[in-house]
Amino acid sequence: MALTQMQIIQSLGEAMSWFERELQWGVPPTELRHLSGRIGELYSALITNGQMATDVNQQGYDVVSSLGERVSVKTTATMGSNGSITFNPRTLNQVDRIIILRINTEDMQIETLLNKSIDESKELMSSESSSGKVSISLSKLIVKPKSRSEIPTVKSVVFGGYKLLELANGTIEVINDDGVILSSLPTLRVLAKELNLSILNGNGNPYNTRQLGSLVIRSIMSMTEESA
């Protein structure tokens, strides 16, 4: 039986929560391929206003869009540009569109790396002589982020020996005397404790870097306004 859009949304939320819980338990993202694949299929069904393929292990495609397009969905949790996404060339004739997604495990967001017709997607594919398959290199899909100087700062506070910045793209930067702290989430959690802020959201799951950083910055700004 086909899922309604509301059921797809609910299933996607539950799958993302389970994925995040597994990561918190120390399970590497590479060991969660089945779960990440399910997340990708649900998300693709949602954004195409479509439905999951009705047959188990349907060859070639995973989702049928509202326009009747057969969509092959690939999902990765790889954060770098190394690696590739592989396809079986023998089943590509059953596909109308390819969607490649990435689960950003830092911010727990789903990013669309590719959403193109099969003909446009084939232009990005290369043959793998050893396996007989074709692949799309992640380096062709991942857009180089803007340099820090190109992104304006929208909020800035100082607290506990740290300077916290919220950039226009939502990124949170934490700076100390040594410069920008590359992994800022542990520091944000320490600051949240000092500010008597919970590091858990309403569902009992830890805030990601952007969520907690924004919460900490707002709290510090509020304290500053009250003392002014």
Side-chain angles (χ1 to χ4, degrees), residues 109-224:
Q109 296 178 344
I110 302 173
E111 302 170 346
T112 302
L113 301 183
L114 181 73
N115 184 355
K116 293 185 179 295
S117 69
I118 185 62
D119 291 334
E120 293 175 294
S121 300
K122 282 182 177 179
E123 295 178 2
L124 299 171
M125 294 180 183
S126 303
S127 298
E128 296 184 352
S129 56
S130 58
S131 64
K133 295 186 177 182
V134 295
S135 63
I136 298 178
S137 173
L138 287 175
S139 62
K140 295 180 180 180
L141 305 178
I142 298 176
V143 179
K144 184 179 179 181
K146 291 183 178 181
S147 66
R148 171 64 184 85
S149 60
E150 296 179 79
I151 307 173
T153 298
V154 294
K155 293 177 184 176
S156 174
V157 297
V158 176
F159 181 79
Y162 297 95
K163 184 175 184 179
L164 285 72
L165 306 177
E166 184 172 349
L167 308 185
N169 64 354
T171 296
I172 301 295
E173 286 189 351
V174 179
I175 304 170
N176 61 10
D177 292 339
D178 296 323
V180 177
I181 298 175
L182 296 180
S183 182
S184 57
L185 188 55
T187 302
L188 289 172
R189 286 174 173 167
V190 170
L191 295 178
K193 184 176 181 181
E194 293 181 17
L195 293 165
N196 293 318
L197 299 174
S198 174
I199 63 171
L200 304 179
N201 60 27
N203 295 323
N205 297 319
Y207 286 115
N208 61 40
T209 301
R210 294 189 181 195
Q211 293 169 337
L212 186 58
S214 182
L215 182 64
V216 168
I217 289 173
R218 289 200 308 269
S219 178
I220 296 171
M221 292 179 69
S222 179
M223 289 173 51
T224 303

